[in-house]
Structure formats: C-alpha cells, structure tokens
C-alpha cells in the first residue's frame, strides 16, 4: 500500500500536486470526513440559492444599466448581458463557497460563476483519496453527471451533422481555450474537454471537440473565432475572466475583446459560461441579493423558500454607499471586499474602531480587474480545524464548496487555510463521508 496517497494522483490528469514557489504539496496528507447530513445540506442550500440568484440576474437584465453599474460591471460588457443563451441559465458551471462559524453553522460567502476552478480536485482527485483511505466518496457518480451535463451543452451548441454518417462532424468544433502557460487553467480546461468527449457521437472526437491556446486564436472580421488550421469554432469554453477579456487588445491596439464579444452577439458561436455569469461573479451581487430580500409584498422577488435560505445562509451584505458604522452590531466585525477581488487580495477586516486586519497577498501574481469600489459583509469568526501537511499538523480553517451543473447541485470540495481569509496559501482538503 502506498504510504502517501498523493503519489497515486495521475500527474497527467493532475500535474500541480507540487506547485512551483510552494514548499508543501497542494493536497493535504489526510482526508476530512463530513456527515451525510452536512453533504445533503450543502447541496440543498446551493440548489435553492442558485434559483434565487437566477431570479436576481433576471432583475438586473430587466431593470437596465443602473443595476449593472452598481455591480461595477464593465460598461463595455453591458450590451452582451441580455442575449438569450440556449440553456436559459445564467451560469452553466459554478461553485458556491461556504465557511463554518464557531457553532458549526454554514454561511455562503461567495459564488464562482464565471470561471470556477478546483474541478479536477472534486471530480477526479477526491475519488483517488477516498479509495486510498477506504472512505465513502461524497462525490460518487458526480463525474458521470458532469459528462452528461457537458454533453447537453455540446448538443445545445447545435453541432453540424454529417449527412453520410448521421454523426457530428468536425467542421466547426466545440473549442476549449485558455492561456496554456498557466498550469491550473490548462489542466482544468483539458479535463472538462475530455469529459465532454466521453458521451459524444463525434466521428473524430479529438477534432469535433478540441483545445487551442488563446495565444493561437484570432477573431475574424465577421466575429468568428479562427483556429490555426483555418476552421472556425461553433462554441467556446473560455477559462479567462470576462471582466478582463473584454479589455484585451492586439499588439497593434485593435479591440480584440470587443470583437470577440461582438461575434458572440451576432451568433457566430455560443459561449460557456455565458456572459451574464459575470453578474453573479461580481462581489457586489450579494449586496444586491440581500437588498432584494428585504422587499416585501408586491415587490417581493424570491419565493418563500428562497427568502428563508437567503436569510439563514447568506451574510448581511451592503454596497459601499449603503454601509455605515451604525449597521455594525456591538462586537461584530465586517469584511471590506474589492468588488473584483480574487484570492483574498485587498480584503480588510473592520470593527467600529477601524481596520483590524489586511489580507497580505502578492497581488502581482493574481490576474484580476482593478476595483473602483468595495462591498461590505458581516465577518464570520470561523470554527477551527486541523490538517496534515508537509509542514506538519497545522491549525486552520475549512472552506466547503458545492459545484453546480446548471441548476443541479453536484460535487463537493474543500480547502484548508491557516488563515481565516483563504488565499493562494490554501491547501486542497479531500472529503469523505462519515
């Protein structure tokens, strides 16, 4: 039997077990156990919140630019956010993140709606860990569900059909793209591409569903995405944040991001995730949901079930303009989050006397859009846990996550961080069922 379960991870599928610049391996040495009730709670709450968030996105789309400006959506993106997509869902693959308070209660702190990562950990790596530790896998069967969902997305792209064989052909492929020199993005993109290939009837799946680096793509004058071999894409999965993509330019100064989005708008291809996922991705979206949930009577947006789950599992959240110290109950702390922050960068913890803590992150290593404003959210003093790492047994905090395949809850995932505000120092903590 292998002494270190991490040696069992296939480096071709999961190459960043060892991460350049970090002394410790990314996965913990141990596995954490959660109860079946907790796993069911994570999935139930995530499913209800997804429905509520979908309603809130519809409010933004109907009510014009004012709502979107409040969310700090780049103005250049706004024209593309009301186009109907073939699955009628704002995000097709997303991930809710939760923390536990001292009493063990779950609180949803974030949704990764545009470009969620940790897919390989949840849908592949967790199975390896559970097999080694002989624990029941909370994600049993979820990889098959992922493949089925990706097949639905493939079919929704209306791939061409060969008259001679009746099967999907390769003339206009479903394209998976990222910048290939970032290992985590490349691994996630290829993993999802291979999962989509599992259930397709393509004559040559390698060509009908393919990968190309963003470095090697071009946008034609008609908005089509041009591959190096001369073909144009029918659909694209892009692992590149939309709020950054929209401002990309060519070395000559041409508006590459806008040309790309114009191609989407004019039906040259479909996009996975669709552009409106950016509405949920904005940190300020939670402030909007919290505000909408305070409405009653004819103005009520959410169902009774959704309103109850928002009140119980979301945290009081406010736009900067609406937040004042009198909203802070005595003894409470609040988090000030940049609207486009990532990996904890720029986060401050506040009390009535001012700043208590600033998250120390090397922001130069994080691809993110500069934020003009912040949102404020009640800070959760979290429950401590322990994990075994290459640096020994550490005390820290656990973030639990639930992936969504469209509106359906799916695989669970966890991170362990020595700090309450998790950042790039966080470890992946595999999960088993008690």
């Amino acid at each position: 039997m292998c002494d270190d379960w991490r040696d069992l991870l296939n480096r071709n599928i999961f190459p960043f077990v060892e991460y350049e610049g970090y002394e410790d391996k990314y996965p913990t040495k141990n596995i954490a156990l959660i109860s079946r009730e907790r796993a069911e709670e994570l999935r139930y709450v995530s499913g209800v919140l997804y429905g509520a968030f979908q309603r809130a996105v519809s409010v933004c789309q109907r009510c014009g630019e004012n709502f979107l400006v409040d969310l700090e959506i780049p103005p250049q993106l706004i024209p593309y956010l009301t186009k109907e997509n073939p699955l009628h869902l704002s995000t097709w693959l997303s991930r809710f993140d939760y923390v536990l308070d001292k009493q063990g209660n779950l609180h949803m702190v974030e949704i990764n709606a545009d470009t969620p990562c940790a897919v390989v950990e949840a849908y592949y790596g967790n199975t390896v860990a559970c097999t080694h530790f002989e624990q029941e896998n909370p994600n049993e069967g979820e990889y098959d569900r992922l493949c089925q969902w990706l097949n639905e997305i493939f079919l929704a792209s209306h791939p061409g059909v060969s008259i001679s064989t009746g099967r999907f052909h390769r003339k206009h492929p479903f394209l998976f793209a990222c910048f290939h020199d970032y290992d985590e993005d490349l691994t996630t993109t290829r993993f999802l591409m291979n999962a989509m290939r599992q259930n397709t009837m393509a004559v040559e799946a390698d060509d009908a569903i393919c990968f190309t680096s963003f470095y090697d793509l071009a946008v034609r004058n008609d908005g089509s995405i041009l591959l190096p071999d001369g073909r144009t894409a029918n659909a694209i999965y892009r692992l590149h944040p939309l709020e950054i993509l929209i401002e990309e330019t060519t070395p000559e100064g041409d508006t590459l991001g806008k040309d790309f989005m114009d191609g989407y708008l004019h039906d040259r291809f479909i996009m996975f995730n669709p552009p409106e996922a950016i509405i949920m991705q904005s940190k300020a979206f939670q402030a909007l949901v919290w505000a909408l949930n305070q409405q009653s009577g004819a103005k009520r947006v959410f169902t009774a079930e959704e309103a109850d789950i928002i009140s119980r599992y979301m945290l009081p959240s406010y736009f900067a303009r609406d937040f004042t110290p009198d909203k802070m109950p005595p003894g409470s702390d609040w988090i000030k989050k940049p609207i486009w922050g990532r990996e904890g960068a720029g986060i401050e913890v506040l009390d009535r006397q001012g700043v208590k803590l600033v998250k120390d992150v090397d922001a130069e290593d994080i691809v993110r859009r500069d934020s003009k404003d912040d949102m404020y959210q009640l800070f959760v003093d979290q429950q401590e846990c322990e994990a075994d790492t290459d640096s020994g047994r550490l005390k820290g905090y656990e973030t639990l996550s639930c992936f969504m395949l469209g509106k359906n809850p799916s695989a669970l995932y966890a991170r362990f961080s020595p700090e309450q505000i998790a950042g790039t120092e966080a470890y992946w903590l595999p999960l088993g069922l008690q």
Side-chain angles (χ1 to χ4, degrees):
M1 183 176 181
C2 180
D3 291 334
D4 188 339
W5 78 271
R6 299 172 297 180
D7 293 338
L8 300 174
L9 291 165
N10 186 331
R11 298 314 197 262
N12 292 322
I13 300 174
F14 195 103
F16 48 93
V17 174
E18 298 83 11
Y19 226 113
E20 184 179 355
Y22 294 85
E23 293 183 3
D24 288 6
K25 291 181 179 178
Y26 167 48
T28 60
K29 289 184 171 183
N30 66 305
I31 190 171
L33 299 180
I34 62 170
S35 67
R36 196 175 302 276
E37 292 74 22
R38 178 68 82 196
E40 290 173 354
E41 180 184 17
L42 280 163
R43 290 186 168 112
Y44 166 68
V45 171
S46 298
V48 175
L49 285 177
Y50 184 94
F53 282 21
Q54 182 76 19
R55 293 181 198 277
V57 169
S58 297
V59 169
C60 289
Q61 291 172 316
R62 290 197 310 268
C63 293
E65 293 190 12
N66 288 343
F67 275 75
L68 298 172
V69 169
D70 280 344
L71 301 182
E72 211 173 289
I73 302 296
Q76 313 95 299
L77 273 178
I78 291 176
Y80 310 104
L81 302 184
T82 55
K83 177 179 169 61
E84 191 69 67
N85 72 66
L87 294 176
H88 311 292
L89 296 169
S90 300
T91 174
W92 303 348
L93 176 66
S94 58
R95 194 191 77 226
F96 283 101
D97 293 342
Y98 300 81
V99 297
L100 294 163
D101 65 21
K102 295 286 189 183
Q103 291 72 45
N105 300 310
L106 284 173
H107 300 278
M108 195 280 293
V109 292
E110 190 167 345
I111 180 173
N112 295 273
D114 187 39
T115 56
C117 289
V119 172
V120 188
E121 294 92 314
Y123 288 93
Y124 162 70
N126 209 73
T127 301
V128 177
C130 287
T131 300
H132 173 81
F133 289 104
E134 298 182 345
Q135 299 292 336
E136 188 175 353
N137 184 7
N139 296 337
E140 183 70 32
E142 293 302 335
Y143 178 72
D144 291 338
R145 294 185 184 93
L146 173 66
C147 293
Q148 292 164 8
W149 175 238
L150 291 172
N151 188 50
E152 288 185 41
I153 293 173
F154 178 74
L155 295 176
S157 72
H158 301 296
V161 177
S162 169
I163 296 176
S164 60
T165 65
R167 297 186 177 210
F168 304 120
H169 60 62
R170 60 184 186 177
K171 186 176 180 182
H172 299 290
F174 198 115
L175 174 65
F176 283 74
C178 68
F179 289 105
H180 72 271
D181 49 3
Y182 186 52
D183 280 348
E184 186 176 354
D185 284 4
L186 179 61
T187 297
T188 301
T189 302
R190 287 192 175 277
F191 183 84
L192 289 170
M193 176 186 70
N194 290 327
M196 180 180 279
R197 287 175 176 172
Q198 293 294 316
N199 287 356
T200 65
M201 299 289 290
V203 175
E204 298 180 57
D206 287 355
D207 278 339
I209 301 167
C210 66
F211 172 83
T212 303
S213 173
F214 270 125
Y215 292 119
D216 299 322
L217 295 175
V219 179
R220 297 200 321 188
N221 290 336
D222 67 353
S224 300
I225 300 173
L226 182 66
L227 279 66
D229 61 10
R231 294 184 295 166
T232 56
N234 184 51
I236 182 171
Y237 166 84
R238 42 120 197 125
L239 189 45
H240 189 43
L242 198 63
E243 72 272 17
I244 297 171
L245 174 62
I246 188 61
E247 295 186 345
E248 297 282 9
T249 58
T250 67
E252 294 75 29
D254 295 330
T255 55
L256 182 62
K258 182 181 184 304
D259 294 346
F260 176 87
M261 294 304 300
D262 283 345
Y264 169 80
L265 188 65
H266 296 123
D267 297 318
R268 298 293 183 258
F269 53 88
I270 71 164
M271 196 185 307
F272 168 24
N273 273 311
E276 55 268 34
I278 196 69
I279 299 174
M280 289 190 197
Q281 185 70 34
S282 166
K283 296 287 193 298
F285 181 75
Q286 291 189 55
L288 173 66
V289 171
W290 189 259
L292 291 174
N293 201 42
Q294 310 309 306
Q295 297 182 346
S296 58
K299 292 184 177 181
R300 194 170 80 174
V301 174
F302 306 114
T303 66
E305 180 185 33
E306 290 166 351
D308 177 61
I309 291 297
I310 290 169
S311 298
R312 288 169 56 197
Y313 288 92
M314 287 186 67
L315 295 165
S317 304
Y318 298 95
F319 294 103
R321 66 166 185 271
D322 299 328
F323 184 79
T324 55
D326 63 286
K327 292 186 182 292
M328 303 170 69
S332 68
D333 294 335
W334 289 75
I335 285 186
K336 178 183 176 183
K337 294 182 179 180
I339 287 178
W340 294 112
R342 289 175 179 263
E343 303 291 355
I347 285 181
E348 297 178 356
V349 179
L350 315 172
D351 63 11
R352 283 178 175 265
Q353 282 68 52
V355 178
K356 288 181 63 177
L357 179 151
V358 177
K359 176 69 176 178
D360 185 17
V361 173
D362 187 354
E364 290 185 1
D365 293 336
I366 300 171
V367 178
R368 63 192 176 110
R369 180 184 178 86
D370 290 335
S371 302
K372 295 178 182 177
D373 215 337
D374 305 286
M375 60 86 73
Y376 292 79
Q377 188 174 70
L378 184 67
F379 177 71
V380 177
D381 194 14
Q382 296 173 48
Q383 185 180 84
E384 276 194 333
C385 63
E386 294 184 349
D388 294 322
T389 73
D390 294 304
S391 295
R393 190 161 185 80
L394 301 180
K395 290 185 177 181
Y397 308 90
E398 186 178 77
T399 302
L400 294 169
S401 302
C402 179
F403 279 92
M404 300 293 297
L405 305 179
K407 61 183 179 181
N408 297 310
S410 184
L412 305 181
Y413 161 75
R415 283 178 294 168
F416 169 83
S417 173
E419 301 180 27
Q420 291 213 46
I421 302 171
T424 56
E425 80 290 334
Y427 298 83
W428 160 43
L429 178 63
L431 293 173
L433 282 177
Q434 281 180 338

